[in-house]
Amino acid sequence: MKWFRFSIVILAATVIGASAVTDVISITEQRIKPNLLLMLVVYFAINCTSYDAIICSFAIGLAADLTGSLIGPYFISYGIIGTALTHVRQFVLLKKTGQQAFAIFITGLLIHLVTVIVLQFKTSGSGAPTFGIAAAASMYSAILWFLLKIPVETLGKWLGVGVYRFGTRLSESRP
Amino acid sequence: MARTKFKPSKLTLFIGLFLTGCIFLLLPQNVTSKVNFAFIDIFDYFLNMGSSAQRPAQNASGTYVSRQEYLRLQTAYANLEAQYAEQKKQIEKLSKIRLTEPDPSTGLVIAKVVNRKEHQLIISRGSKDGLHSGQYVLGDNSVIGLIEQVSDEISSVRLITSSACKLPIKISAPEINAYFNGTIQGDDNNGARIMNIPKKYSIKTGNAVYASEKAGFLASMRIIGQISKCALGKKNAIVWDLEVKPVYDFESITDVAVVVLKMPEFK
């Protein structure tokens, strides 16, 4: 994994996600936009070694926090759910695009749930979007994954995300 | 001698990062928000790329004005009407005493919208300009929210549509020439709600909702929006369940004004 390139990609995804550019593809009056970081966390959790995936998940969570008003809630939620997904990968390969899209949707919901729980410890007010908006954004991201899978995989190769076989990496399967 | 590379186990790594997250969460918000503000400061240009803040304003020509301009004028008119009613009342009561109401325009700090998120705006003014949390923010000449967090040079605004934003209001009832007091709270959608207003108050859809005067924060009433739905409470039929539609257009707001009132000095 090339961490310098990874940080550039995450920073770019954060800025694009928070910028007004994505308003162009936002839908409904609620301005529901796809969550690029959500797609990336699922991609890295599925394709990286579990050690790298843990770091990636927490790093993406930190990036998600940068555009909010608090540091910590997304850091924890992305970290926990991303790490959990690396364990799920050991039982379900998640190689098909449809499976990955479904994983994006479920991961989005779980991240929102954990974020809301974590925010209860910090503030009484709402800092996270409502469940409906979070679900819609996760669904939108999952649908968009069918279009973005190939570019993200190309980007992944540039980042040094290796090829795995049957859910485990060569480096991991060796004794 | 070979150097040993420190590489914690997966469990140690996870626990370490999780604890780091907990520490971030426990840090005071005014400390961590500096990181957020720094990020917005650095990527200001990219974050605003393609937004209405960068688009040139289009002036309507001829006799007609655009809908946006019409709404702006309508809002200004509603504010003037409220100020007029208030001043008329004061003149009636205190006919011989000079009005002490300060000119609202003297305490306004104009700021650019640097970034916008759901129910939140980041603006280009901070504590250096006299801003502090709790101050009222005007956009399109109506109250759009309150200052939430402040750094030296930028601040965040919690919009009226957020459930974290609560403020005292007055609902106008022009038929009986009265105002009813209440508290507004955002519905985390595109509007806000007013709860626990007794049914005996004659309130109708379309009635204007104003932010109440607040010592040190707001000198005179300012419009927030209009009652968009007026129904009996689902849980309690003796109170109104009121929904409010703010007059401002979130997308078109590129500049805001923060009400910064100077407190009188007592000697």
Side-chain angles (χ1 to χ4, degrees):
Chain A
M1 188 78 176
K2 288 163 183 164
W3 292 107
F4 181 71
R5 289 181 183 184
F6 170 80
S7 58
I8 291 170
V9 168
I10 295 304
L11 204 58
T14 310
V15 172
I16 292 167
S19 73
V21 174
T22 45
D23 284 342
V24 178
I25 53 167
S26 67
I27 52 170
T28 78
E29 277 189 351
Q30 311 292 328
R31 292 183 297 277
I32 292 159
K33 298 191 276 188
N35 189 341
L36 297 177
L37 294 177
L38 174 64
M39 291 187 234
L40 288 177
V41 81
V42 172
Y43 172 75
F44 287 119
I46 292 172
N47 293 286
C48 287
T49 62
S50 46
Y51 193 89
D52 286 350
I54 295 170
I55 300 172
C56 288
S57 303
F58 278 98
I60 292 170
L62 182 65
D65 273 329
L66 282 176
T67 56
S69 55
L70 272 175
I71 300 284
Y74 284 114
F75 184 84
I76 292 173
S77 56
Y78 271 80
I80 291 172
I81 303 301
T83 307
L85 193 60
T86 59
H87 287 279
V88 171
R89 183 189 70 183
Q90 291 169 3
F91 306 104
V92 186
L93 286 180
L94 297 171
K95 289 188 84 174
K96 290 179 183 169
T97 313
Q99 288 176 332
Q100 291 171 352
F102 185 67
I104 288 172
F105 177 62
I106 297 295
T107 305
L109 295 183
L110 292 174
I111 284 173
H112 175 73
L113 188 71
V114 177
T115 307
V116 169
I117 294 167
V118 171
L119 277 172
Q120 296 297 318
F121 295 102
K122 186 70 181 177
T123 53
S124 55
S126 71
T130 56
F131 182 77
I133 292 172
S138 305
M139 177 66 86
Y140 194 3
S141 309
I143 293 167
L144 207 67
W145 178 247
F146 288 93
L147 288 173
L148 291 182
K149 190 190 174 186
I150 293 168
V152 171
E153 278 180 344
T154 312
L155 204 64
K157 281 177 191 167
W158 182 65
L159 295 175
V161 177
V163 182
Y164 63 88
R165 282 183 191 169
F166 308 110
T168 51
R169 297 188 158 275
L170 288 172
S171 56
E172 282 185 334
S173 60
R174 282 173 192 157
Chain B
M1 204 171 133
R3 268 172 57 189
T4 53
K5 196 179 172 186
F6 174 70
K7 195 177 180 187
S9 69
K10 279 186 275 185
L11 184 65
T12 315
L13 178 74
F14 175 77
I15 292 171
L17 288 168
F18 180 76
L19 290 176
T20 310
C22 293
I23 291 166
F24 282 147
L25 201 66
L26 291 171
L27 283 171
Q29 198 171 351
N30 56 2
V31 175
T32 56
S33 64
K34 283 178 184 167
V35 181
N36 300 114
F37 285 141
F39 173 78
I40 291 163
D41 235 1
I42 294 165
F43 296 102
D44 177 21
Y45 176 78
F46 298 104
L47 291 172
N48 273 315
M49 205 180 271
S51 75
S52 53
Q54 291 200 334
R55 268 180 245 137
Q58 291 176 346
N59 292 324
S61 59
T63 319
Y64 300 98
V65 293
S66 66
R67 180 167 175 75
Q68 196 180 330
E69 180 66 3
Y70 171 79
L71 289 172
R72 192 186 69 76
L73 292 170
Q74 186 70 35
T75 309
Y77 170 72
N79 277 325
L80 282 174
E81 197 177 42
Q83 281 174 2
Y84 171 70
E86 184 68 26
Q87 289 182 354
K88 194 177 163 189
K89 206 186 279 179
Q90 284 188 33
I91 289 167
E92 282 169 3
K93 282 183 183 173
L94 313 163
S95 56
K96 289 181 182 175
I97 302 172
R98 189 170 161 262
L99 272 174
T100 53
E101 191 78 5
D103 180 2
S105 62
T106 56
L108 297 178
V109 172
I110 309 296
K112 284 246 172 250
V113 175
V114 177
N115 190 26
R116 57 190 75 214
K117 284 200 75 185
E118 204 180 16
H119 312 303
Q120 194 188 41
L121 295 176
I122 305 294
I123 58 171
S124 63
R125 299 282 186 156
S127 55
K128 279 182 182 171
D129 307 290
L131 269 59
H132 58 83
S133 63
Q135 285 173 331
Y136 285 69
V137 182
L138 309 177
D140 283 350
N141 223 357
S142 67
V143 172
I144 62 164
L146 301 175
I147 294 287
E148 190 183 32
Q149 291 172 48
V150 180
S151 75
D152 285 350
E153 288 175 353
I154 51 177
S155 311
S156 67
V157 178
R158 181 57 65 183
L159 295 177
I160 216 103
T161 50
S162 164
S163 62
C165 184
K166 247 184 186 181
L167 63 147
I169 50 100
K170 284 183 177 176
I171 307 166
S172 81
E175 296 90 356
I176 54 169
N177 197 22
Y179 291 98
F180 302 119
N181 293 317
T183 305
I184 197 169
Q185 185 175 18
D187 60 3
D188 282 336
N189 217 321
N190 284 332
R193 286 201 176 93
I194 304 170
M195 311 297 275
N196 299 325
I197 298 288
K199 190 191 151 192
K200 64 180 180 182
Y201 294 162
S202 56
I203 294 168
K204 289 178 187 168
T205 306
N207 284 11
V209 178
Y210 296 90
S212 296
E213 313 91 323
K214 195 174 172 187
F217 288 95
L218 195 65
S220 60
M221 293 196 303
R222 282 275 170 172
I223 195 162
I224 291 177
Q226 288 183 326
I227 302 285
S228 58
K229 189 183 164 192
C230 183
L232 287 176
K234 285 175 187 168
K235 290 178 185 171
N236 191 347
I238 61 163
V239 293
W240 288 118
D241 198 355
L242 302 171
E243 287 181 16
V244 179
K245 188 179 185 304
V247 289
Y248 69 85
D249 178 17
F250 181 78
E251 287 299 325
S252 69
I253 290 179
T254 53
D255 298 278
V256 296
V258 184
V259 182
V260 182
L261 293 183
K262 286 176 186 169
M263 296 294 281
E265 289 177 14
F266 296 103
K267 289 180 181 175

